[in-house]
Amino acid sequence: MLSGMNNQVSTGAAVLSARNVYKSFLGGDGIQLDILLGIDLDLAPGERVAITGASGAGKSTLLHILGSLDRPSSGRILVEGNSVSESSDEELAEIRNRYVGFVFQFHHLLREFTALENVMMPALIAGVAISEARDRSRELLEEVGVIGRESHKPRQLSGGEQQRVAVARALVNKPPVLLADEPSGNLDTQTSQRLHDLIFGLREEHEFSMVLVTHNLDLARRADRVLVLREGRLELGTKG
Ligand SMILES: Nc1ncnc2c1ncn2[C@@H]1O[C@H](COP(=O)(O)OP(=O)(O)OP(=O)(O)O)[C@@H](O)[C@H]1O
Ligand SMILES: [Mg+2]
């Protein structure tokens, strides 16, 4: 267990859980916006959950909180049954780096660095030796099908390739959980489907759990569970 995780709470075998999570923001006019109103979620090992919902419903907000990129206003996030609420920012960064791979809607690759360096970065931050980080990253770039473009900067890659590099980067530390926010949001139908094939194929091999925020029916259909974020709460959705 990492330092900064305590308060063991029973969650069965969940790898990631939300308990009664609330999140409010202050709007520009000083009025409080209540976005999440009591979110409960248990992600089982290997489980694939899709979250849909209207624009502005709070999907990205929820994903950021699940991935410890942001903190809830109240309620708790548990990683493998351990509450991370009391963790310091440094501890949260470590937990994030170790437990969660994040794929953003816009790739968020570092523009001055090559594809290979972008994938290596989280491993280096986690203290993996350079040669090991390089080997792992090359292997992942091959798995995601970005071959012969290791030394390309993000702007020298297509949108689909950028997302593939982002997927490789998300997996370099072998996280038990992959969180993806509209990973194919900016791609055409065919490129989207190839990215979905890739993500689900990698999941078969690496056995991570995932939470996918998506409007894409093809992606939602492939999940074990579809949830809809509506009026601040998660409801069971359908795959159609
Ligand atoms: N840091 C912030 N400060 C103030 N308001 C915020 C902040 N982040 C998000 N919001 C507000 O919270 C609401 C939910 O935002 P969020 O990005 O989570 O929606 P979303 O469901 O991901 O939408 P989309 O489908 O358009 O990506 C929005 O109304 C947004 O303006
Ligand atoms: Mg969003």
Side-chain angles (χ1 to χ4, degrees):
M1 186 170 74
L2 290 169
S3 61
M5 284 209 240
N6 41 40
N7 296 326
Q8 184 95 29
V9 179
S10 173
T11 55
V15 281
L16 185 64
S17 309
R19 285 283 175 276
N20 208 20
V21 163
Y22 282 74
K23 182 70 177 180
S24 303
F25 293 113
L26 267 194
D29 47 11
I31 292 174
Q32 182 172 317
L33 300 166
D34 299 319
I35 306 299
L36 304 178
L37 297 166
I39 298 284
D40 286 299
L41 179 67
D42 277 316
L43 186 66
E47 191 183 20
R48 301 158 295 181
V49 171
I51 296 179
T52 63
S55 180
K59 304 180 298 297
S60 296
T61 302
L62 173 59
L63 211 62
H64 292 162
I65 291 174
L66 285 174
S68 291
L69 287 164
D70 196 3
R71 292 175 188 269
S73 303
S74 68
R76 292 172 151 191
I77 295 301
L78 312 174
V79 176
E80 293 182 343
N82 301 295
S83 171
V84 299
S85 306
E86 298 77 15
S87 305
S88 66
D89 288 349
E90 290 80 35
E91 286 164 344
L92 275 190
E94 193 189 339
I95 291 164
R96 206 158 55 222
N97 202 257
R98 185 97 64 96
Y99 280 92
V100 207
F102 220 109
V103 179
F104 298 91
Q105 179 167 4
F106 304 101
H107 58 77
H108 283 219
L109 296 172
L110 299 170
R111 47 182 310 185
E112 322 81 73
F113 292 92
T114 65
L116 182 67
E117 288 163 348
N118 266 285
V119 179
M120 287 172 67
M121 201 72 73
L124 296 178
I125 291 169
V128 174
I130 288 190
S131 59
E132 160 76 11
R134 193 182 293 119
D135 289 349
R136 261 196 227 174
S137 301
R138 287 209 170 112
E139 204 170 297
L140 273 166
L141 281 173
E142 203 173 307
E143 277 189 63
V144 301
V146 181
I147 294 161
R149 285 166 179 76
E150 281 181 7
S151 55
H152 284 218
K153 302 272 174 69
R155 72 184 139 74
Q156 299 168 319
L157 297 167
S158 73
E161 287 167 348
Q162 289 170 351
Q163 283 306 66
R164 285 165 178 264
V165 172
V167 170
R169 179 185 56 179
L171 297 179
V172 74
N173 284 334
K174 306 175 185 170
V177 179
L178 179 72
L179 302 176
D181 195 351
E182 297 278 10
S184 50
N186 297 309
L187 305 177
D188 63 53
T189 310
Q190 211 185 355
T191 313
S192 296
Q193 280 187 357
R194 282 213 301 271
L195 185 76
H196 303 160
D197 289 343
L198 170 72
I199 292 174
F200 279 79
L202 287 166
R203 143 73 175 60
E204 289 309 302
E205 192 187 336
H206 299 279
E207 297 187 333
F208 45 79
S209 313
M210 52 190 180
V211 179
L212 307 165
V213 164
T214 187
H215 286 115
N216 187 299
L217 288 180
D218 174 60
L219 194 50
R221 212 168 22 81
R222 300 183 192 211
D224 302 310
R225 227 177 355 146
V226 179
L227 302 172
V228 185
L229 185 56
R230 193 177 288 137
E231 294 178 0
R233 292 194 176 83
L234 284 176
E235 301 171 2
L236 204 55
T238 57
K239 293 192 182 186

